[in-house]
Each structure stands twice: as structure tokens, then as C-alpha cells.
Amino acid sequence: MAGETITSSEYIKHHLTNLTYGNLPAGEFCDGHQVVSHAGWQLAECSEAAKAMGFNAIHLDTMFWSIVLGAIFLFIFKKAADVATSGVPGGLQNFAEWVIEFIDQSVRGSFAARNDLVAPLSLTIFIWIFLMNLMDLVPVDVIPKISMLLGIHFMKVVPTTDPNATFGMAIGVFLLVLFYSIKIKGVGGFVGELTLQPFSSSNPLVNALFIPINFILEFVSLIAKPVSLALRLFGNMYAGEMIFILIAIMYSAGTFLGLFGGVLQLGWAIFHILIITLQAFIFMTLTIVYLDMAHHEH
Amino acid sequence: MNINLTLIGQLLTFVVFVWFTMKYVWTPIMGALEKRRKEIADGLAAGERGQHEQVLAQERAKEVLRDAKGQASDIVMQAQKRAAEIIDEAKVSARTEGERILTAAKAEIEQEVNRAREHLRERVAVLAIAGAEKILRKEISATAHQDIVDSLAREI
């Protein structure tokens, strides 16, 4: 695609395709570009091939960027932790302490029980999501162009625009919610929470009739937690990315529209600073709240 | 928009990151924060204690100073009293000494007088006898009229 003139919809589609490595079944894909005689693991050369891989595929770009960003976060904070003293803190330690105190206050504010996991979990969520969202502010074409020169055709640099990443985290949080619900309330308590409310009656027969209704309501609200958590982040970032891509299309549409696009991109990027921080914060806060609910007995 | 193995990969990455943060980031930094909080609290408490002790020490110092002043004035008073006593004693002893010297002098004077009188008496007796001897050279011998001369000399 480099050097070729491509239509706007191709440009958008290209930007929204992950670098997918997976088990491709035999067949002909991508208008005959990728012909597979035997099913096997390989890179997808277009979104159609990526789709055909089904579940047996992995997004190399999402994994790469999320791990690199997470490693940067852990490296910086580990360094701060290594030099952490109770005496006069240095610049790095000051920064780390500032972030940690902010997270700690958020956790103390909305998490009533005692759990040593929640605060580090929140810190990881907040900083990791923030860094992944931050990749959105890198102009949309820079890293894909560089990787194109290195021979990599697809490169989606914002991991949080990949639902796999957001659902991965949301499911992690959801598993913790389930774990603590059962640990704190017991299996019976957890099942009771799902079946004996919000409707209950003193008459056992009526109560039994309420059980399926209650279960449907509570189950939906339980499942809604990770789904909303993941989709909210994904939707915001995906939409933001999409707008950056649309603005980027304007650059190829003449000087005037290009300049206008430049102004728009600057404005949207500045506004996006708020969104990426806010989304990271919301994800963290909701995680804390969900875990707090898991620790509460009704 | 495909959900695939990336989901599992992200989930595992997330778990590893959270574990790492919990073990190597959160605990040491929170430990340092907690330790500093404690050190500051200790420092403040120590400062307060120090101030309290300073107030106490000032009070004690005042007390000591008051005691010292009282003692000093006592000592001065005692010294004055003692000085007066010494002066009185000196006066008394000077007076007695003077009297003693005076008495001794008087006794000596008396002795001298007595001695001079004795001497004079002897000289008068000798003179009288010499005079009488000159007058009565011929008929009177000193030995014959010794008793008269002695009675005369005794009358002086």
C-alpha cells in the first residue's frame, strides 16, 4: 500500500486492521493476494484473512505495544521503588509518590474493606491504560509508516482500541470480583445474592417463584460489569482514534483542508488528553467500586 | 474487531503486571511513605517534648536562681554579723589587753618607785650618817648611834 494511491475507505480499513498472526485455514484471501493451500500459522495480509483466522490468532501489535508500555511503567516505578527512602525524596520518587498517593486516596475513598491487592491493581490499571491511551496522541501515520518501512504492513499502535486488550483487563477484574465475592460471602452467600434479591417475600413459595426473576436481573447486572468496563474504554478510544484517522484523511485533500485538518487535529489532541486520562481514571474507579461491592455483604 | 487469543494474552499480561506492581512497586514505595510519615510524627512529638522540657528547664533555672540569690543574701548577712562580732571581740580583747598592759606598767612603775625609794632610803641613811659623822666626828661613833640613824632612815 505504500506508494500506491488508496481510497479513503481503504486507508481507514488499513488503519483499523491489527497485525494478526494466526492459524489461517486453507483458501484464497485478500482478492487472491494470500492463497493458502494448507492451514497453518501465518501473518494475515488483510483484514479478511485476519477474520478468517477466528479465535486462533493473536494481535502482535496489541501485545507488543501493551507489553512495551507496561514494561516502561513498571521500569520507571520499580526504579523509583528501588531508590525509595523515607528521607528527602528525589524527583523520580516524588513523582511516583505523587501518583501512588493519588491512587491510594482514590482507593481509600471508595474501598471500605481491607485488601492489599486493590491499590496496586488500581495503580497498574490507571498507569497502564493511561500509557496505552497516550499512544493515541502520536499522529496516526507516524508509527505505521515507520513499520511499513521495516516491512510490517499493519500496525495499530493504540492497544486500547483493540477490544481484546480492554476485555482482557475487564475479565481479569471480573475474575477478581467473582473470587472475592465467593471468598468473602461464601458460595451460598454469592448464590443468594444472585437469586434472593432484589425481590423477596416472607412466603417461601413466592420467594421460590422470585428466584428465576432475581437471577436474570442480577446475572445481567453482574455480566454488565466487565462488559461495560471493557466497552466503555474501547468505544471511547476507538472513536477517538477514528476521528484522528478521519482528520488525517484531510491532509491528502489539498492545502486548505490540510491546514484545517492540522488545526482540528491539534484541537482534538488537546481534548483527547482529557479523555485518555478520564477513561483511565474511570476504569480504575469502577474497578475499585466493583471490588468494593464484592466485599460487601448485603 | 476480532476477539481472539490476544484476549488471553492480554489477560495474562495484566495479571503479571499487577503481580509485579504489587510485589516490587507498591509495597516498597508505600513502605517508604509510611516510614516517612512515622518519622515526621516522631520528629514532631520530639519537638513538642523538647519545648516542654525547655519550659520546665526555664522554671527550674528560675528556681535555682532564686535559691542562689537567697543563699547569697544569707551569706552576706551572716558575714556582716560575723564581722560585727569580730569587731566587738576585737574591741573587748583590745580593752582587756590595754588594761593588762596598763596594770603591768603601773606595777612596774610602783616597783621602780619602791626600788628608787629603797635606794634613796639607803642613800639618805648613808648621807645622814656621813653628815652626822662630820658633825659629831669627835665624840660620836657611828656604831654607838646606829639605832638612832636607823630610826631616822625608817621615817623617810
Side-chain angles (χ1 to χ4, degrees):
Chain A
M1 317 217 166
E4 297 168 27
T5 39
I6 52 169
T7 64
S8 293
S9 75
E10 274 171 353
Y11 177 82
I12 294 171
K13 205 170 180 188
H14 178 239
H15 265 293
L16 294 180
T17 304
N18 283 102
L19 180 66
T20 316
Y21 180 79
N23 194 2
L24 194 59
E28 217 179 87
F29 304 99
C30 316
D31 305 326
H33 279 299
Q34 194 167 21
V35 183
V36 182
S37 47
H38 298 289
W41 286 79
Q42 55 194 292
L43 283 171
E45 282 178 25
C46 64
S47 53
E48 186 198 348
K51 195 161 264 174
M53 286 171 182
F55 191 76
N56 282 331
I58 191 152
H59 293 158
L60 295 180
D61 47 4
T62 302
M63 291 303 295
F64 174 77
W65 288 109
S66 62
I67 289 174
V68 163
L69 293 166
I72 290 172
F73 149 61
L74 291 180
F75 176 74
I76 292 173
F77 274 74
K78 173 80 169 71
K79 228 174 147 186
D82 283 344
V83 299
T85 65
S86 57
V88 180
L92 180 65
Q93 197 192 339
N94 245 337
F95 169 73
E97 282 179 8
W98 170 62
V99 174
I100 281 182
E101 294 222 298
F102 166 68
I103 304 286
D104 195 44
Q105 262 172 10
S106 299
V107 173
R108 275 172 211 277
S110 36
F111 190 79
R114 251 205 76 67
N115 191 330
D116 287 338
L117 176 69
V118 175
L121 176 78
S122 307
L123 175 69
T124 314
I125 288 175
F126 182 69
I127 303 290
W128 197 29
I129 294 181
F130 177 77
L131 287 176
M132 290 195 287
N133 290 353
L134 196 65
M135 294 305 288
D136 217 357
L137 296 182
V138 179
V140 283
D141 274 322
V142 171
I143 294 172
K145 271 273 150 51
I146 293 171
S147 59
M148 194 86 87
L149 293 175
L150 295 172
I152 301 165
H153 276 285
F154 297 103
M155 184 54 72
K156 217 172 145 199
V157 294
V158 190
T160 41
T161 57
D162 184 347
N164 289 297
T166 60
F167 269 106
M169 267 185 291
I171 288 172
V173 171
F174 184 60
L175 292 178
L176 281 176
V177 168
L178 291 183
F179 173 73
Y180 282 115
S181 292
I182 291 171
K183 190 186 169 195
I184 303 290
K185 299 160 194 163
V187 179
F190 183 53
V191 171
E193 197 178 278
L194 284 176
T195 52
L196 300 178
Q197 54 157 3
F199 301 114
S200 62
S201 163
S202 50
N203 186 338
L205 189 69
V206 181
N207 226 7
L209 281 175
F210 277 144
I211 283 177
I213 303 167
N214 284 337
F215 181 71
I216 289 168
L217 286 173
E218 286 294 314
F219 188 73
V220 166
S221 83
L222 183 70
I223 292 299
K225 284 175 186 172
V227 172
S228 70
L229 210 53
L231 285 185
R232 179 183 301 105
L233 179 59
F234 164 70
N236 272 281
M237 298 324 295
Y238 191 80
E241 175 83 344
M242 185 67 99
I243 288 174
F244 274 122
I245 292 170
L246 291 176
I247 290 170
I249 289 174
M250 296 173 95
Y251 293 131
S252 58
T255 319
F256 175 73
L257 268 180
L259 284 174
F260 183 59
V263 175
L264 276 183
Q265 184 178 350
L266 181 66
W268 182 242
I270 291 170
F271 179 60
H272 219 59
I273 295 173
L274 175 70
I275 294 183
I276 61 177
T277 318
L278 197 64
Q279 286 305 321
F281 182 70
I282 288 173
F283 200 109
M284 178 191 85
T285 307
L286 284 178
T287 301
I288 298 170
V289 170
Y290 291 158
L291 283 172
D292 183 50
M293 283 159 78
H295 281 74
H296 269 305
E297 302 237 26
H298 284 281
Chain B
M1 281 296 285
N2 308 317
I3 294 290
N4 53 32
L5 282 175
T6 316
L7 181 76
I8 311 291
Q10 288 288 319
L11 176 59
L12 293 179
T13 314
F14 180 55
V15 170
V16 171
F17 283 173
V18 170
W19 167 81
F20 189 92
T21 309
M22 189 171 170
K23 187 147 196 214
Y24 297 106
V25 174
W26 190 267
T27 315
I29 293 183
M30 263 336 239
L33 283 175
E34 207 49 54
K35 204 169 157 227
R36 184 179 316 138
R37 198 166 293 149
K38 201 177 162 299
E39 276 171 12
I40 290 172
D42 285 355
L44 286 176
E48 206 151 301
R49 211 161 45 238
Q51 241 169 7
H52 188 65
E53 266 167 22
Q54 198 202 1
V55 170
L56 283 183
Q58 266 173 348
E59 258 166 39
R60 209 160 44 234
K62 265 188 204 158
E63 213 167 281
V64 168
L65 205 64
R66 212 165 36 238
D67 278 4
K69 268 186 190 161
Q71 275 180 356
S73 67
D74 275 6
I75 288 171
V76 167
M77 259 161 62
Q78 272 180 2
Q80 276 172 348
K81 212 169 111 190
R82 182 85 191 110
E85 271 174 21
I86 287 171
I87 289 170
D88 282 355
E89 272 169 25
K91 270 186 191 161
V92 170
S93 68
R95 192 169 292 136
T96 42
E97 184 70 10
E99 273 168 10
R100 194 181 61 77
I101 289 169
L102 197 66
T103 322
K106 273 183 184 164
E108 205 170 324
I109 289 168
E110 201 141 319
Q111 246 176 8
E112 282 299 312
V113 168
N114 281 345
R115 201 180 299 137
R117 192 174 286 159
E118 201 68 27
H119 194 67
L120 196 61
R121 196 181 288 155
E122 275 166 28
R123 292 290 293 172
V124 167
V126 171
L127 273 175
I129 287 172
E133 218 175 33
K134 271 179 184 160
I135 299 165
L136 302 169
R137 179 126 356 226
K138 280 135 193 147
E139 74 255 48
I140 302 166
S141 77
T143 46
H145 299 89
Q146 186 68 49
D147 55 337
I148 301 165
V149 173
D150 280 349
S151 73
L152 274 173
R154 213 174 289 128
E155 275 171 31
I156 291 167

